[in-house]
Amino acid sequence: MTGIGKSFLGVRVLSDVGLTVAAGEVHALMGENGAGKSTLMKILAGVHAPDEGTIEIDGRPVSFGHPIQAQRAGVAIIYQEFNLLPERSVAENVFLGREPARAGLVDRTAMETATERLLAELGEESFGPRDLVRRLSIAQQQVVEIVKALSLDARIVVMDEPTAALAEHEVELLYRLVRRLQERGIAVLYISHRLREVFDLADRVTVLKDGKHVTTVPVSEVSTDELVRLMVGRDLSAYYPPRATSVGEVRLRVTGGGNDKLHDIDLELRAGEIVGIAGLQGSGRSELAKALFGAEPFTRGEMTPRRPRSVREGVAAGIGLVTEDRKAEGLALRQSVRDNALLVARALGRQGRQGPQGLRELLERVRLTPPREDQEVRYLSGGNQQKVVLAKWMTVAPAVLLFDEPTRGVDVGAKAAIHDLMRRLAADGMAIMMISSELPELIGMSDRIVVLRDGRVVGTLPPAPTEEAVMRLAAGEVTS
Amino acid sequence: MRRTLPIFGVLAVLLVAIAVVNPFFLEPAGFLGFVKRAAPLVILAAGQYFVIVSGEFDLSVGSLVTVEVVVAARLIDGDESLTWPVLGLLLVLGLLVGLVNGAVTTLLRVPSFITTLGMMLILSGAVFLWTGGAPRGALSQGFRAFGRGSLGPIPWSVLILLAVGVAAVLLMRADFGRTLVATGDNERAAALSGVRVDRARILAFVLSGLAAAVAGILLGGFAGVSAQVGQGLEFQAITAVVLGGVVLGGGRGSVVAAMAGALTLEALFTLLNLYGISGALEFTVQGVIIIAAVAAGALRLPFRLRAST
């Protein structure tokens, strides 16, 4: 791939990116969230067409208008979310849409024999071609995806965060699979946040940052620290409101909190402070917010206020959650600004406290522009929608407000307004917890940063740590 | 508000059309007679509205109306003194059926289409079993007064309709109504805001059951006792609500428009009747309306979206 560029709606996400992967090579692709890894991968897969640049496979230029064309050219992608039909057998999934036929009927025997052979080549004996996919573990389903890629004669296999959903011991099995692919002369493009895997597996690594190619180096010539610096090293140019000068009493305390995704969580949120939560995808950040809020409750541990067993209890105990997915979880899109802003108050039967005058003041306070109450929220911009979500919680003045990616999909102006508002809420005595994948935002806003990995708290960092420090904790040190 | 306007326009046109053919319609007695006839359907539509706006259906109301009437006749059996106790019992029966519909739909996660279809069959079967096809007993004069009597010039059923209408509007303006619509629009967002979505939906089914009980009481007096009295009313009610611009799937539309939809449907039937078109055609007309109204709603969407960008 040479000189690849791509813009979405006028926003440049990739410019002049080049990438060369050799047969039999494991090539790692790294970068922060939003660095452009996924877009680059989707261009290779034929999901998006590049605005500029060329792709060559085995020296021949190719251009893909559709994923099928990329598939025919030998590119197979294994996404984080598998594309498997749970109620069909392994063999049926492998040959989905191109079943071998004999006399107009599906030739099951041929299909199963071929699948059996590929499984054997990968050394996979724990399941067979006739097993139903829904009975397989995540790791086994991953094997099915790989078998599917092999049966398509893939020359290039792209794996997107393949270990994100795997347990520790399954990672070893994956390593073995990747090495088998390598032995067959297949080029593997391996996308991962995890430094250890990159050092364990990859021959070379390419780092992307802000849609640009930073470097491509052999893994043997780079250290962990260097790699982290290459990924995140940038100036903190954005403005953030000043930090808390004093913090007050404890508003929320958890000790030994746990459920099926979180373990031994100890956390304190105090009035007046903003606590940032850092962690990679799948580290349990959103799960933590949902546990504190009562949406996916803790099943173990002590908590003050009393551990909520439902959202209702959480809300009643004075805990609010600004969810990550505004449209699916935050707003009733076809209702008015007023009806959305009053939703929590009404759910608690406290509408009386919020007269029409109060609502207008509130909408001005969150700087909804224009502060029109009768507008349906689906017609608002992302930033204004988020302000309505904030207003919704402010009507009941919760003691603790949890933010999950509060400024995702929000323009710069609204982002500053939201940051400012968060700081003012804290100054008024609210305890605030903020999850963000955007490190500069997290570092700029937080009074301290709690880092999660694999559902556990792995460290707490003082105000204004370096991005390297956060990333190193979140990704886990290389142990060697 | 913009969305509720078309139905009032259509209603006005139909009323004028009726008045042209039948000038008696313009006199108070003529018009009140029409409203009286329409009252049970309008009340059912109000009940059905709560269920539909929360994202569900209630197909059991027609059978429930029949059950109410048949039970009333059998229990009262002409005994004047039993009128009030039985009225109370009928309301409780409606409430209980709604409660079961709601609980099965929300707590057992059976789609309401299936729950209430099952309830419709259960109730129909029960009535058939109990009556053997021919209802026995008779209603008291006091009971029948609700459906056919009047207070001065104004029929009781019109007064009851007004009371139901006012109550429905007040409910929709209260916390319950607003959270119910939000639940129909985005259940997950409502739940994550602390709304007890299951409870809101159960209450909607209970209101629909109560509306069916009231409609049954009016119809018993007005149309008399038969095992067919409620037949097809569930589809008339749903057609009326959809005609009022309420979106199937929930989250959109007003209760006043739903009730206006019921009046419009009744006006249309009256007009067809005046032109001597067979009553058998009513089903066909309903079928056309329900498909056309939903299609129109679906078609409008892209235009609205384009207008907003």
Side-chain angles (χ1 to χ4, degrees):
Chain A
M1 303 177 86
T2 323
I4 300 289
K6 177 76 186 172
S7 302
F8 289 113
L9 304 168
V11 180
R12 199 150 183 85
V13 291
L14 281 181
S15 57
D16 196 24
V17 171
L19 181 68
T20 314
V21 189
E25 179 191 26
V26 176
H27 195 115
L29 184 59
M30 297 195 81
E32 285 183 296
N33 293 331
K37 300 176 306 245
S38 300
T39 310
L40 187 65
M41 179 185 83
K42 284 183 177 154
I43 286 172
L44 180 59
V47 176
H48 300 314
D51 297 340
E52 55 216 36
T54 54
I55 306 174
E56 289 176 22
I57 292 177
D58 295 335
R60 275 193 307 276
V62 289
S63 91
F64 305 137
H66 190 276
I68 292 282
Q69 295 173 340
Q71 207 177 66
R72 296 217 175 102
V75 179
I77 312 268
I78 296 163
Y79 292 100
Q80 286 178 41
E81 303 286 329
F82 302 141
N83 288 313
L84 296 174
L85 306 178
E87 295 295 339
R88 306 276 89 190
S89 76
V90 169
E92 282 168 324
N93 267 286
V94 168
F95 285 95
L96 187 68
R98 48 195 183 88
E99 291 83 355
R102 201 174 52 191
L105 296 173
V106 173
D107 187 348
R108 286 187 166 278
T109 326
M111 205 160 84
E112 282 165 9
T113 318
T115 307
E116 182 95 68
R117 204 191 66 235
L118 289 168
L119 283 173
E121 281 177 32
L122 290 174
E124 181 58 64
E125 289 155 358
S126 62
F127 65 95
R130 288 165 176 237
D131 287 324
L132 286 188
V133 163
R134 98 179 126 80
R135 294 191 201 281
L136 303 182
S137 71
I138 299 290
Q140 288 171 325
Q141 292 184 22
Q142 205 165 42
V143 175
V144 178
E145 285 278 8
I146 293 171
V147 167
K148 195 167 157 184
L150 289 179
S151 77
L152 283 160
D153 280 324
R155 314 290 325 282
I156 302 164
V157 173
V158 185
M159 304 176 107
D160 185 13
E161 294 275 350
T163 55
L166 296 185
E168 198 62 33
H169 65 276
E170 293 170 331
V171 173
E172 282 301 321
L173 297 173
L174 179 77
Y175 282 8
R176 222 177 58 207
L177 281 176
V178 172
R179 300 231 164 78
R180 295 249 179 175
L181 295 179
Q182 200 177 1
E183 285 160 20
R184 292 172 66 116
I186 291 170
V188 177
L189 189 56
Y190 192 94
I191 300 175
S192 179
H193 276 112
R194 303 189 186 191
L195 295 167
R196 203 187 66 198
E197 291 167 16
V198 170
F199 282 93
D200 283 353
L201 270 178
D203 302 308
R204 288 192 299 163
V205 55
T206 290
V207 177
L208 295 186
K209 194 181 68 162
D210 301 334
K212 295 195 185 72
H213 179 258
V214 177
T215 188
T216 299
V217 285
V219 168
S220 53
E221 290 172 21
V222 68
S223 73
T224 322
D225 285 355
E226 259 176 291
L227 205 51
V228 169
R229 198 154 43 243
L230 286 170
M231 266 158 55
V232 299
R234 90 165 80 111
D235 301 329
L236 256 187
S237 53
Y239 161 81
Y240 294 98
R243 291 199 164 72
T245 45
S246 65
V247 293
E249 59 192 285
V250 174
R251 294 269 190 219
L252 182 148
R253 173 185 288 129
V254 196
T255 25
N259 57 25
D260 54 344
K261 292 186 184 125
L262 300 166
H263 314 280
D264 305 322
I265 300 288
D266 293 336
L267 184 70
E268 253 182 28
L269 303 176
R270 288 171 178 274
E273 69 171 347
I274 296 179
V275 175
I277 302 291
L280 301 176
Q281 242 163 50
S283 60
R285 295 174 308 183
S286 298
E287 287 76 8
L288 174 63
K290 288 197 164 141
L292 295 172
F293 180 58
E296 291 166 16
F298 281 126
T299 50
R300 299 184 295 274
E302 297 297 315
M303 182 168 156
T304 333
R306 209 161 64 92
R307 203 169 74 197
R309 287 163 302 179
S310 67
V311 170
R312 180 95 189 158
E313 286 186 8
V315 175
I319 302 171
L321 171 65
V322 175
T323 51
E324 179 179 18
D325 189 340
R326 188 162 55 235
K327 287 184 175 159
E329 304 191 318
L331 294 165
L333 288 172
R334 293 187 298 185
Q335 311 305 315
S336 66
V337 166
R338 183 192 308 115
D339 282 339
N340 273 285
L342 291 177
L343 191 53
V344 177
R346 280 170 171 159
L348 294 182
R350 290 192 203 157
Q351 193 200 350
R353 294 193 195 171
Q354 204 71 45
Q357 185 60 37
L359 180 63
R360 204 165 310 124
E361 277 169 20
L362 187 60
L363 294 180
E364 276 164 22
R365 207 170 152 220
V366 299
R367 299 202 205 138
L368 186 72
T369 47
R372 274 188 52 192
E373 296 172 27
D374 52 355
Q375 182 94 331
E376 285 180 32
V377 293
R378 63 177 160 152
Y379 297 131
L380 301 180
S381 68
N384 273 325
Q385 288 183 346
Q386 193 69 322
K387 291 172 188 172
V388 174
V389 175
L390 272 172
K392 178 176 90 166
W393 287 109
M394 284 164 68
T395 56
V396 294
V400 179
L401 196 47
L402 314 168
F403 289 84
D404 197 351
E405 305 284 359
T407 61
R408 175 177 291 175
V410 159
D411 63 279
V412 182
K415 201 165 171 171
I418 290 167
H419 286 155
D420 210 43
L421 192 63
M422 287 170 72
R423 200 35 98 178
R424 276 188 288 145
L425 289 175
D428 290 348
M430 217 179 258
I432 290 181
M433 183 181 107
M434 178 176 86
I435 295 168
S436 176
S437 302
E438 233 182 279
L439 278 181
E441 174 181 54
L442 202 63
I443 290 167
M445 288 295 294
S446 306
D447 295 314
R448 61 195 162 92
I449 294 179
V450 174
V451 184
L452 297 184
R453 189 170 68 229
D454 298 333
R456 291 169 197 279
V457 174
V458 290
T460 302
L461 297 166
T466 60
E467 295 190 24
E468 284 89 338
V470 179
M471 276 303 271
R472 204 173 293 127
L473 259 180
E477 290 278 2
V478 179
T479 46
S480 58
Chain B
M1 218 40 211
R2 264 169 294 148
R3 255 182 104 88
T4 62
L5 287 177
I7 187 62
F8 292 109
V10 175
L11 178 58
V13 168
L14 285 175
L15 293 180
V16 169
I18 295 172
V20 168
V21 183
N22 178 12
F24 172 66
F25 193 71
L26 289 175
E27 290 171 31
F31 185 71
L32 287 174
F34 164 74
V35 179
K36 178 170 137 184
R37 211 164 47 244
L41 181 61
V42 179
I43 291 170
L44 278 178
Q48 188 72 239
Y49 164 82
F50 289 106
V51 177
I52 287 183
V53 88
S54 82
E56 307 288 344
F57 295 92
D58 189 350
L59 296 177
S60 68
V61 291
S63 303
L64 183 53
V65 165
T66 306
V67 167
E68 297 279 351
V69 172
V70 170
V71 167
R74 179 93 174 238
L75 290 183
I76 294 177
D77 203 11
D79 186 344
E80 213 55 55
S81 67
L82 285 174
T83 304
W84 288 100
V86 170
L87 278 174
L89 188 81
L90 294 182
L91 291 177
V92 170
L93 180 63
L95 186 147
L96 281 179
V97 170
L99 198 62
V100 171
N101 279 337
V104 170
T105 300
T106 57
L107 305 180
L108 301 183
R109 309 258 166 240
V110 178
S112 60
F113 190 83
I114 300 300
T115 309
T116 58
L117 186 67
M119 182 59 83
M120 170 173 119
L121 295 172
I122 290 168
L123 292 176
S124 303
V127 165
F128 194 75
L129 184 72
W130 205 44
T131 60
R136 277 166 288 170
L139 297 172
S140 61
Q141 282 308 315
F143 189 100
R144 294 163 62 136
F146 291 104
R148 51 175 64 176
S150 31
L151 180 70
I154 304 174
W156 277 112
S157 57
V158 174
L159 293 173
I160 291 171
L161 170 61
L162 281 176
V164 169
V166 169
V169 168
L170 290 180
L171 266 175
M172 285 317 292
R173 290 196 177 167
D175 288 353
F176 162 73
R178 305 322 304 159
T179 50
L180 186 72
V181 181
T183 301
D185 187 354
N186 187 343
E187 179 178 359
R188 181 132 181 88
L192 285 174
S193 298
V195 175
R196 284 182 277 216
V197 293
D198 285 352
R199 203 173 76 160
R201 284 218 172 101
I202 291 174
L203 219 54
F205 278 104
V206 166
L207 287 170
S208 181
L210 280 175
V214 174
I217 291 165
L218 297 187
L219 272 174
F222 182 75
V225 180
S226 88
Q228 281 80 41
V229 62
Q231 215 167 48
L233 278 181
E234 63 284 327
F235 289 111
Q236 284 189 24
I238 292 173
T239 308
V241 171
V242 169
L243 193 58
V246 181
V247 172
L248 293 180
R252 175 143 227 150
S254 88
V255 69
V256 177
M259 293 195 290
L263 276 175
T264 306
L265 196 60
E266 194 65 41
L268 195 61
F269 291 156
T270 305
L271 200 61
L272 290 177
N273 207 14
L274 282 174
Y275 278 106
I277 296 166
S278 163
L281 210 61
E282 285 187 3
F283 287 110
T284 311
V285 168
Q286 275 183 60
V288 171
I289 287 176
I290 201 157
I291 293 172
V294 172
L299 272 182
R300 203 170 305 153
L301 199 62
F303 297 119
R304 287 175 67 92
L305 284 179
R306 204 171 304 153
S308 74
T309 49

